[in-house]
């Protein structure tokens, strides 16, 4: 399930620091669009969780200290490190490790070429294990008095949704980057470029218009998944999610005139539907394409066997001896 071509302590340390740097950069990017919910900072899309799960899947569990170090650096960049920070650090480390262990148990394949792999990443890689980080973080905020009891549900749900969306949006994209498949056909390259541009334009229009036009992005996601599978669906979903978050934080379009809780519910429902559509449809199309190729290969092999048997069977006149040559 993971790549383990590197060996030795020096290489391991290098990979740990690479994960630390990626986690920190992802955290800083995520903090650019943070919102304040009941005096707590949460992000609608937390990229480090997607980076952490992808790193564990590709590099193995030995890089887990990079997740911890990255979390520490992100926390200390915005606030002093205290008891609350320790619980958040532990939760942010345990959640990706739990996701990795659950995916390992079900035989997850990083190629995401089966529908079961897409479902496993959604539920066992994102929705379920991210309950750990959200629950631990919210609980320690309440225990230390930083969060009133009335704000538990709103902060917990926003925290959990942001962590889960990081996995659903970022992890598939990073798994694709492991083996990038650029279109060789010039027309397919043009089509892919047009798809990305269309996704950006349509998302900007739909998320900044007062009309309920969210549904217009889904044909683009379907187009990407059917034509390019995960390498096409993953970047399209990322573009849509980022632009939708920008509109939500600016309180424009369908997000205008609503409370923060209503905005978060609307945004996470939209981003979740987009990510699920792209990921699951891409995995399903890839699985069907692989099945079709295997069936075609089996038919070709069977045709060769039948042709070989027909050329040498006793009832075939071509296999009879020449009677005129007999004495």
């Amino acid at each position: 399930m993971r790549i383990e071509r590197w060996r030795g302590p020096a290489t391991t340390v290098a990979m740990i620091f690479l994960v630390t740097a990626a986690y920190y950069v992802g955290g800083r990017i995520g903090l650019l669009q943070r919102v304040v919910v009941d005096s707590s900072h949460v992000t609608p899309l937390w990229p480090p969780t997607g980076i952490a799960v992808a790193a564990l899947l590709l590099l193995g569990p030995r890089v887990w200290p990079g997740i911890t170090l990255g979390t520490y650096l992100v926390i200390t960049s915005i606030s002093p490190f205290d008891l609350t920070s320790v619980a958040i650090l532990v939760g942010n480390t345990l959640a990706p490790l739990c996701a990795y262990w659950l995916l390992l148990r079900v035989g997850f394949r990083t190629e995401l070429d089966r529908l079961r792999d897409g479902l496993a990443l959604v539920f066992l890689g994102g929705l379920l294990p991210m309950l750990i980080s959200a629950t631990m973080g919210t609980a320690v905020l309440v225990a230390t008095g930083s969060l009133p009891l009335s704000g538990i549900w709103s902060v917990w749900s926003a925290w959990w949704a942001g962590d889960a969306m990081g996995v659903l949006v970022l992890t598939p994209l990073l798994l694709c980057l492991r083996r990038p498949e650029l279109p060789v056909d010039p027309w397919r390259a043009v089509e892919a470029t047009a798809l990305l541009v269309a996704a950006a334009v349509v998302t900007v229009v739909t998320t900044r218009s007062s009309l309920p036009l969210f549904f217009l992005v889904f044909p683009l996601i379907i187009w990407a998944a059917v034509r390019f599978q995960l390498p096409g669906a993953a970047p399209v979903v990322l573009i849509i999610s980022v632009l939708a978050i920008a509109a939500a934080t600016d309180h424009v379009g369908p997000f205008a005139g609503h409370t923060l809780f209503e905005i978060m519910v609307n945004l996470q429902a939209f981003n979740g539907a987009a990510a699920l559509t792209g990921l699951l449809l891409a995995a399903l199309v890839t699985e069907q394409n692989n099945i079709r190729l295997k069936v075609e290969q089996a038919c070709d092999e069977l045709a060769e066997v039948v042709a070989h048997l027909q050329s040498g069977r006793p009832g075939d006149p071509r296999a009879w001896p020449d009677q005129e040559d007999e004495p």
Side-chain angles (χ1 to χ4, degrees), residues 23-46:
Y23 193 102
Y24 175 74
V25 172
R28 295 302 301 174
I29 294 174
L31 290 173
L32 294 177
Q33 295 183 324
R34 60 184 172 180
V35 295
V36 179
V37 179
D38 289 315
S39 71
S40 299
H41 294 277
V42 295
T43 57
L45 172 65
W46 185 237

Side-chain angles (χ1 to χ4, degrees), residues 4 29 63 67 74 127 133 169 175 203 207 209 247 264 290 292:
E4 288 190 348
I29 294 174
V63 299
I67 301 172
V74 172
L127 300 181
S133 55
V169 174
L175 294 180
T203 304
T207 56
S209 171
M264 292 297 293
N290 291 338
R292 178 178 56 82

